[in-house]
Amino acid sequence: MLTPTEVKARIPRTWPLFFARHGRFTPIQQQAISPILDGRDTLVIAATASGKTEAVIAPLLERNWSNLQSFGSAQDKSPISNITLLYICPTRALVRDLYERLWPILDDTGITIGMKTGDVSLARQMPAVLLTTPESTDSLLTRTPKTFIGLQAIVLDEIPLFDNTPRGDHLRCLLPRIERIRQYANPDVESAQRVALSATVPDPAGVAARYLLDGLVVQ
């Protein structure tokens, strides 16, 4: 495992946004940031208020920074753009809470963030980072599948609330649908990175096998 100084050196753009005010990493952040930054599918398990969200979102933003920033450039005036980072939550309330936490942090970065749920519609331009639910993801896949062509990473939050339920089955159907769209546009594209997280996961190995590709468990 890398030292805190080594981890900090790997995230020069997102350290000031997420960690500088604390001056340090929590244990789960120190463990999870590097494998996610390396592109590994990862299941992150840690207690509530331990900094899991930052441990996941910071390395994903860092890894895809140039794609995220060019997304909203002046040259891109199309009404439908590609999502770069898809963050799927089990509830509308969690989508809104996460949006209210993240948009002030990203407001001056040039990275656009938005949310879509059954009661919140997107603006005309798709954001680079989309916070949503499985049902709204399904709607987008049906109506505007091209928005997923440039997708680089998928986050599955509070994964035990999905697993072993019909919504979990639905989610596991959505993931290969997304890959088929990406591969249709670019047959040589690698699978989008997948990261799941929760405070507790009763069956970490099983969850990693069901939702990730060669997933690493960090807890």
Side-chain angles (χ1 to χ4, degrees), residues 6 10 24 32 36 40 48 53 57 73 118 121 145 177 205-206 212:
E6 291 170 329
R10 297 198 65 193
R24 60 179 178 81
I36 294 174
R40 289 291 305 272
T48 301
T53 301
I57 200 74
S73 65
S121 298
R177 281 177 63 192
L212 308 180

Side-chain angles (χ1 to χ4, degrees), residues 46-147:
T48 301
S50 61
K52 290 189 302 297
T53 301
E54 293 80 2
V56 168
I57 200 74
L60 290 176
L61 293 175
E62 191 80 38
R63 176 174 167 80
N64 296 288
W65 193 267
S66 59
N67 288 335
L68 288 159
Q69 283 206 314
S70 63
F71 181 100
S73 65
Q75 290 78 20
D76 183 6
K77 296 296 185 181
S78 61
I80 298 177
S81 299
N82 293 338
I83 306 162
T84 302
L85 173 57
L86 180 68
Y87 198 114
I88 300 178
C89 300
T91 68
R92 300 174 183 180
L94 187 54
V95 168
R96 182 172 293 277
D97 178 68
L98 191 62
Y99 176 79
E100 292 176 352
R101 288 173 57 191
L102 292 178
W103 80 257
I105 296 173
L106 299 179
D107 192 40
D108 294 327
T109 64
I111 296 173
T112 57
I113 183 169
M115 58 178 171
K116 175 174 172 53
T117 63
D119 53 5
V120 178
S121 298
L122 284 166
R124 187 168 179 265
Q125 182 94 9
M126 191 70 68
V129 179
L130 179 63
L131 313 175
T132 188
T133 61
E135 292 77 16
S136 290
T137 301
D138 196 348
S139 175
L140 285 173
L141 281 167
T142 302
R143 295 170 54 196
T144 55
K146 289 183 179 180
T147 60

Side-chain angles (χ1 to χ4, degrees), residues 29-52:
Q29 291 165 354
Q30 185 180 346
Q31 293 178 64
I33 286 174
S34 288
I36 294 174
L37 197 60
D38 290 337
R40 289 291 305 272
D41 280 19
T42 308
L43 172 60
V44 178
I45 307 170
T48 301
S50 61
K52 290 189 302 297

